[in-house]
Amino acid sequence: MRSTSLAAALAASAAMLAIAVPAQAQQRSFDIPPGSLKAALDAFGKQSGRPLIYRAADVSGINSPGFRGSNSPERVLAALLRGTGLSSRSGEAGAIAIVRSGNGQSTGAGASPPDLSQAELPAESVEDEIVVSGIRRSLQESINVKRAAGSIVDVITAQDIGKLPDQNVAESLSRVTGVQISRREGDGSNFTIRGISQNRLEINGRNFIGPGNGGNAALETISPEILSSIVVIKSPTADMPEGALGATVNLRTKRPLELDDLVVAGRIQGAYADQADHVGYRGSALVSTKLGDRFGVLASVAYSDTQTLGYSFDAGGWTQTNTIDGDGDGVDDPGLFRPNRFMARIFDRAEQRLTLNGTAQWRPTDQLEIILDATYNHLKRQRNSVNYQVLFNNNDVDATVNDEGTVVAGTFQGVTVRPLIYDEPTDLKSTLFGGSVKWEDDRARVRLDMSYSRGKGSDGGPGASFAYVVVPRTGSVANASYDFRPGNAVPDLSIDANFDPNDPTRYQLLSIFDYDAVTDNKGYDARLDWEYQTDWGILSSVEAGMRYERAELLAADPQNLPVAASLLAAGDRNGDGILTVDELPGLSYGRDYGAFFPGVGGTFPRNLLGGTLDKNAARDGLGLATPDPYDTRITVGPTSIKDVTQETLGAYLKANFEGMAGGVNYSGNAGLRYIDTARATLGYLSPTLTNVIKSDFGYWLPSANLSVDFSNDLTLRLAAAKVVSRPSLNQVSASFVPNTVSMTGSRGNPNLRPFEAMQADATLEWYFAQASSLTGAVFYKKVDSFTVNTVTHEFVPGFSERFGLFDISQPQNGEDGTIQGFEIAWQHAFRFLPAPFDNLGIQANYTYVDSRTPLKDAITGDRLPLPGLSRDSYTLIGYYEDKIFSIRAAYTHRSKYLNSVGGAASGGNTYVAGRGQLDASAQINLTPNLRLTVEGINLTKAIDRQYLGEPDRLTFTAREDRRIFFGVAASF
């Protein structure tokens, strides 16, 4: 599809490489007066824009001749240090470290970063202040990267990540200003940035295709322990790949040549989950070594084996009905809303997570560097869940209705009671291979980077995979009363039945629900970048490059829904014309999981009919086919297939500038990026009829960033850009996926256009002390053609003949909209306090986001905000750290947000109520290399809540384990 364009790209790449090779040394203007070395280094850092780190004792009493004239920053710094016994080296977080040369320390390409435990950042005004190792060191390194960046970024570094009990990358991201995460089964899963879910995720700057249904990365599979830093880039530059409406998140793994000659580190911990009352374990290990100064290899592994237990209530949605008497006058009232069901669920989960990472780094010369990376993630989660269901109807005896038309209480006759057991396994794998070759001298840099990623797996997810749908046997009758008015996590429920609902012999098979969600996604990425340092006035350098990306999505949701009558020949052993639970292979009732939702107030069934289920034994015993999306014999097969191929070719030109005006230093960049995206979607219109729909989009994307340094400590940043974000690949598929329980379905839209937005950002950054800063930011995005979901009531051939009409949701390009807001972030190491309070510190941030979209409430007609956007979110982190002991506690909170847009017939829009979570960690240093650790997640066990339209229309609640990790960590 792109052979001509790719050939042109390769030709241009060769030309750029040829231009770059003969480049000469960069020239910049410096005016550093003679005086103390400390003052000279401060001036150099300011004029070069490169942060320096040094020990105050190392530079004390040393004078410098200064430097006036034009030369490369490297040669100027070498001149300042000549004869001092000091040398420079690059640190892990982007700063330049000044170290003593007399201890055998090398300034070559393979040099290790210094121990920053006694380091000083010269931009600070407090003399002889010490940044200790650990938390404050990581905070200072994050500040160094943020200050040196050419755009608006937020950063967390390895120690900062490691000091919090984060299970995965999503939870680490939740500490970043403006990032809001959602959780799945207690783990961080998805994230928004400034309320926007259209973000780009990279590992070491490379595109990451994961096992998600739309090719997303499934962040719950990625351990943060392999990372050196997470960089959230909120204002783009022309050299950055497109695709982020909110921000680009770059996960940086560790590099061996940035570490000491030999690094060995490990951690082993017990993992206690209080609701499961089970102790599992997790551990990690890293080995990094150098073979000389120019070659290094690194390998790391993180593994956990845990068991967790979760409780949830699910109303299964709400239905608008005209056949319930809501005021007791004997006449049915129109437009009332009642719950579809009462479902109590206990999730029993056993899971294993594995993350592997390896890197080989080679610098055969000072100009050439070659890196090879590999990352592998595997999440395996086996669920057996208890599902006690009561299906409501419109046979009301009495009903109580609130002002919103919600039937908040009532008694209903002839309800259906169903004790279901689900087998719901998840098995997700992702792999990323990458390699880069970089050549640079004092004036030019050329870098070629290529990668391959693949995400594959199956996700039963809560409520999916395999279940025997059983119902009471003939003659078993039940009535039910419910009451949502107490406002508890679970509504009150009482059952009046002529049989024991917890007696499994009173049930028979109605049908089988056999569903899977399978994916096999691939991504290919290649880019070539060129930079040339100039001496043309304020123009410091120019950059150009091109990039090719290919993404292949293959996902499907096959379902097999056989009814009991079709299984009698295989399973009815006694010939009574029904299948009783003792005739169902793989199913066993009688397991006791204890009380349902202990500690929560209310009157509802606490002792549920538990059990276990093995879907493979069930399939084998009844001769059922494993759901295969290409099998035309099952209920939902080929029509669920999402087969999308997308190719993108991009090129950019960027100019970097710096100078001084009115005694104020400024720097920045401006550039233009062009992208062309071709998309081909294959869809099944029927089990045998296919259709291919092709589309092509091209965009010019200008961007500019300006940084103004009013002083060494105060920086203003301004940024503007046009950005695009392509819709998720599952949104552009031609597939149809039905839900035969709720009579709803989803269909993709192959003609869906990307989001387009013009954005403007401004930040003011004050670095008033070491490991301390105060930052304020405002942002505005004007979004063209918001994607909105439309719902239509349709007859679907091949499905409606058996099940009836469906409410079909399909994404469409809508009207324009806006997103705007502000952020405030403050972090402070309280070094000015008397001991021991000088070891205290705080981090706090707050984000406000508002939006105007074309989305409308189907019931009220009011405008709706952007889905996933919490208006208010904040994080508060307090820490204490001395040489022996450290502790840190983090509380994150986000206000309510719109989760999905729904029609009036199904109860309206789904909202997620506001929620906060408290996590904490502590550490005791037994020796410089050995420490005891304890960490806690979800300490307050806050309950997740979702509702439809208004809070009384409660649709879902959940409570997960409090998880405690305890063990030992070592590093050498």
Side-chain angles (χ1 to χ4, degrees):
M1 187 187 304
R2 280 286 190 272
S3 57
T4 303
S5 299
L6 187 57
L10 293 174
S13 302
M16 285 193 295
L17 182 63
I19 293 172
V21 170
Q24 301 300 317
Q26 173 199 9
Q27 301 290 312
R28 290 192 184 183
S29 297
F30 290 88
D31 186 0
I32 302 174
S36 71
L37 179 59
K38 181 182 187 304
L41 293 175
D42 290 355
F44 173 84
K46 182 178 179 181
Q47 295 176 29
S48 67
R50 301 183 180 183
L52 296 180
I53 297 175
Y54 56 82
R55 299 176 180 87
D58 288 349
V59 300
S60 177
I62 301 177
N63 292 323
S64 168
F67 187 94
R68 286 185 173 90
S70 296
N71 214 317
S72 70
E74 293 78 11
R75 291 177 179 175
V76 172
L77 182 57
L80 295 176
L81 297 177
R82 188 173 295 118
T84 64
L86 301 173
S87 60
S88 64
R89 62 177 65 176
S90 297
E92 182 179 348
I96 299 175
I98 307 302
V99 298
R100 290 192 177 277
S101 302
N103 296 326
Q105 297 169 316
S106 169
T107 62
S112 305
D115 178 6
L116 304 184
S117 61
Q118 303 293 323
E120 180 177 353
L121 185 68
E124 313 301 342
S125 60
V126 181
E127 288 192 17
D128 299 324
E129 203 167 59
I130 296 174
V131 177
V132 301
S133 61
I135 296 173
R136 285 194 294 273
R137 169 184 170 181
S138 70
L139 296 180
Q140 184 61 64
E141 289 179 345
S142 297
I143 286 175
N144 294 342
V145 178
K146 181 179 178 71
R147 295 183 71 171
S151 60
I152 298 172
V153 305
D154 281 304
V155 185
I156 51 177
T157 54
Q159 279 284 341
D160 198 27
I161 298 167
K163 290 291 183 179
L164 286 167
D166 302 327
Q167 294 278 2
N168 56 57
V169 167
E171 294 180 3
S172 297
L173 278 170
S174 70
R175 324 295 178 191
V176 177
T177 306
V179 177
Q180 304 165 347
I181 71 168
S182 59
R183 296 180 182 273
R184 175 186 176 188
E185 301 181 89
D187 294 335
S189 180
N190 297 311
F191 68 93
T192 64
I193 299 179
R194 294 174 168 175
I196 301 168
S197 59
Q198 291 78 20
N199 303 293
R200 178 178 173 84
L201 181 71
E202 301 175 338
I203 294 184
N204 294 319
R206 300 171 182 130
N207 191 38
F208 186 27
I209 297 291
N213 194 260
N216 54 292
L219 291 179
E220 59 264 44
T221 68
I222 305 175
S223 170
E225 294 174 290
I226 68 169
L227 303 180
S228 66
S229 65
I230 301 176
V231 182
V232 179
I233 307 166
K234 297 178 178 178
S235 68
T237 55
D239 58 305
M240 291 173 51
E242 71 292 337
L245 188 63
T248 294
V249 177
N250 186 18
L251 311 178
R252 292 189 66 249
T253 60
K254 297 177 175 67
R255 299 286 194 226
L257 294 186
E258 295 173 353
L259 303 177
D260 290 336
D261 290 343
L262 176 63
V263 175
V264 179
R267 178 173 69 166
I268 183 69
Q269 292 179 307
Y272 175 72
D274 66 337
Q275 292 180 171
D277 193 22
H278 180 270
V279 177
Y281 66 92
R282 72 176 184 182
S284 62
L286 177 145
V287 177
S288 176
T289 185
K290 298 179 185 176
L291 305 178
D293 290 335
R294 297 193 176 275
F295 182 76
V297 292
L298 178 150
S300 63
V301 59
Y303 181 77
S304 66
D305 190 328
T306 60
Q307 290 187 21
T308 60
L309 190 73
Y311 304 107
S312 75
F313 159 76
D314 193 337
W318 289 63
T319 296
Q320 190 175 44
T321 178
N322 299 322
T323 57
I324 290 179
D325 178 12
D327 53 15
D329 62 358
V331 178
D332 290 338
D333 299 311
L336 302 182
F337 297 96
R338 67 154 174 86
N340 290 332
R341 63 191 176 192
F342 175 103
M343 182 164 68
R345 308 191 70 181
I346 300 177
F347 294 102
D348 181 28
R349 299 176 293 251
E351 61 186 39
Q352 297 84 40
R353 303 168 191 255
L354 174 65
T355 296
L356 300 173
N357 179 69
T359 297
Q361 187 177 15
W362 183 34
R363 293 176 182 154
T365 69
D366 290 341
Q367 291 77 35
L368 185 63
E369 180 182 64
I370 300 171
I371 297 177
L372 297 176
D373 293 307
T375 302
Y376 173 80
N377 303 284
H378 185 194
L379 170 64
K380 188 174 183 179
R381 178 179 286 152
Q382 179 61 49
R383 304 178 193 85
N384 259 260
S385 66
V386 176
N387 297 258
Y388 180 86
Q389 299 181 1
V390 178
L391 307 185
F392 297 116
N393 51 40
N394 295 329
N395 300 328
D396 63 298
V397 174
D398 64 87
T400 301
V401 179
N402 69 5
D403 294 339
E404 302 294 332
T406 302
V407 183
V408 293
T411 299
F412 297 82
Q413 296 179 328
V415 300
T416 301
V417 180
R418 306 196 308 194
L420 307 185
I421 309 298
Y422 279 79
D423 183 4
E424 306 169 309
T426 288
D427 195 336
L428 301 175
K429 302 175 183 178
S430 59
T431 305
L432 176 63
F433 295 103
S436 66
V437 179
K438 182 176 68 174
W439 180 91
E440 63 180 334
D441 65 6
D442 290 342
R443 199 164 199 176
R445 174 181 59 85
V446 179
R447 184 171 184 265
L448 173 66
D449 191 283
M450 304 180 70
S451 67
Y452 165 79
S453 58
R454 185 176 186 182
K456 183 179 182 180
S458 61
D459 191 359
S465 201
F466 192 96
Y468 286 118
V469 181
V470 298
V471 294
R473 299 177 66 170
T474 303
S476 298
V477 179
N479 304 322
S481 299
Y482 70 77
D483 194 343
F484 283 79
R485 290 173 296 180
N488 295 319
V490 182
D492 290 345
L493 178 77
S494 61
I495 302 294
D496 179 19
N498 65 357
F499 68 101
D500 180 3
N502 282 343
D503 181 0
T505 66
R506 300 305 301 270
Y507 296 93
Q508 69 182 63
L509 182 69
L510 175 68
S511 63
I512 287 177
F513 182 76
D514 195 357
Y515 163 79
D516 205 355
V518 294
T519 59
D520 189 358
N521 307 318
K522 300 175 184 177
Y524 307 85
D525 199 2
R527 61 179 296 172
L528 181 65
D529 299 278
W530 171 76
E531 181 178 7
Y532 185 79
Q533 305 286 346
T534 76
D535 53 2
W536 305 332
I538 66 170
L539 184 64
S540 59
S541 66
V542 293
E543 299 179 47
M546 55 185 56
R547 175 175 174 270
Y548 171 79
E549 175 189 315
R550 179 183 175 93
E552 300 174 0
L553 171 74
L554 183 60
D557 298 83
Q559 303 174 36
N560 194 20
L561 311 174
V563 297
S566 66
L567 302 170
L568 290 176
D572 185 12
R573 295 194 298 267
N574 60 13
D576 61 358
I578 62 173
L579 293 175
T580 53
V581 296
D582 61 316
E583 296 175 317
L584 301 178
L587 176 64
S588 174
Y589 281 104
R591 182 171 180 179
D592 183 9
Y593 285 98
F596 171 66
F597 241 128
V600 169
T603 303
F604 50 85
R606 299 281 186 169
N607 297 316
L608 309 182
L609 180 56
T612 59
L613 176 61
D614 183 339
K615 69 177 182 180
N616 293 320
R619 289 168 178 167
D620 293 342
L622 294 175
L624 299 174
T626 300
D628 182 341
Y630 295 98
D631 190 343
T632 59
R633 299 169 298 170
I634 63 176
T635 310
V636 182
T639 59
S640 74
I641 293 175
K642 307 174 183 69
D643 190 341
V644 182
T645 299
Q646 182 171 274
E647 290 184 294
T648 300
L649 188 63
Y652 73 91
L653 184 65
K654 173 187 170 188
N656 301 302
F657 56 86
E658 59 183 23
M660 179 179 291
V664 175
N665 288 301
Y666 65 86
S667 61
N669 56 77
L672 182 65
R673 185 177 192 87
Y674 177 77
I675 61 166
D676 184 74
T677 298
R679 191 169 66 209
T681 299
L682 183 146
Y684 283 79
L685 304 179
S686 72
T688 57
L689 179 61
T690 61
N691 185 31
V692 177
I693 301 175
K694 297 182 179 181
S695 55
D696 196 290
F697 307 97
Y699 295 95
W700 293 95
L701 305 175
S703 62
N705 291 268
L706 175 65
S707 175
V708 180
D709 298 322
F710 295 113
S711 69
N712 285 342
D713 304 328
L714 187 64
T715 299
L716 171 69
R717 297 182 192 268
L718 303 173
K722 180 179 180 180
V723 296
V724 296
S725 179
R726 291 176 286 269
S728 176
L729 293 181
N730 61 347
Q731 288 185 306
V732 300
S733 70
S735 65
F736 169 67
V737 181
N739 185 324
T740 57
V741 175
S742 62
M743 297 307 298
T744 60
S746 61
R747 181 186 294 121
N749 181 359
N751 296 313
L752 198 63
R753 300 192 307 276
F755 282 88
E756 301 177 57
M758 294 296 297
Q759 66 178 45
D761 298 82
T763 68
L764 188 62
E765 304 165 4
W766 180 30
Y767 302 98
F768 56 89
Q770 291 194 3
S772 304
S773 64
L774 178 63
T775 301
V778 294
F779 54 89
Y780 175 83
K781 299 176 188 287
K782 184 181 183 301
V783 183
D784 297 330
S785 190
F786 262 109
T787 296
V788 299
N789 285 317
T790 60
V791 179
T792 56
H793 201 55
E794 297 183 20
F795 179 92
V796 182
F799 296 96
S800 293
E801 295 88 348
R802 173 179 171 184
F803 301 104
L805 300 179
F806 287 82
D807 287 326
I808 307 301
S809 173
Q810 184 179 39
Q812 304 282 352
N813 286 113
E815 305 171 16
D816 299 347
T818 58
I819 303 168
Q820 58 275 326
F822 65 87
E823 300 170 342
I824 299 174
W826 174 52
Q827 64 183 45
H828 196 182
F830 296 142
R831 300 306 306 278
F832 59 91
L833 295 176
F837 303 106
D838 57 342
N839 294 313
L840 291 169
I842 192 171
Q843 294 174 267
N845 63 66
Y846 168 77
T847 302
Y848 173 87
V849 187
D850 192 15
S851 66
R852 183 183 183 276
T853 76
L855 304 174
K856 290 187 178 180
D857 190 301
I859 298 174
T860 66
D862 296 337
R863 289 273 187 174
L864 295 172
L866 186 68
L869 183 152
S870 289
R871 188 186 67 176
D872 305 287
S873 62
Y874 63 87
T875 298
L876 181 62
I877 301 175
Y879 66 86
Y880 175 91
E881 182 176 50
D882 59 28
K883 294 181 179 179
I884 302 299
F885 178 73
S886 68
I887 185 171
R888 179 151 67 167
Y891 182 78
T892 58
H893 183 273
R894 62 182 302 186
S895 61
K896 77 168 187 178
Y897 61 92
L898 174 67
N899 192 49
S900 62
V901 179
S906 57
N909 311 309
T910 303
Y911 291 88
V912 177
R915 182 183 184 275
Q917 178 158 315
L918 177 64
D919 305 325
S921 62
Q923 176 177 296
I924 298 176
N925 297 319
L926 301 177
T927 72
N929 305 108
L930 186 66
R931 55 197 183 274
L932 299 178
T933 64
V934 60
E935 303 165 358
I937 293 177
N938 192 25
L939 294 177
T940 60
K941 298 177 69 171
I943 293 176
D944 293 298
R945 292 175 180 262
Q946 297 182 20
Y947 58 89
L948 289 169
E950 56 106 358
D952 279 346
R953 216 171 291 156
L954 185 69
T955 188
F956 176 82
T957 60
R959 190 183 71 190
E960 294 294 337
D961 295 273
R962 179 187 295 116
R963 305 176 190 184
I964 307 297
F965 301 91
F966 51 92
V968 62
S971 57
F972 303 93

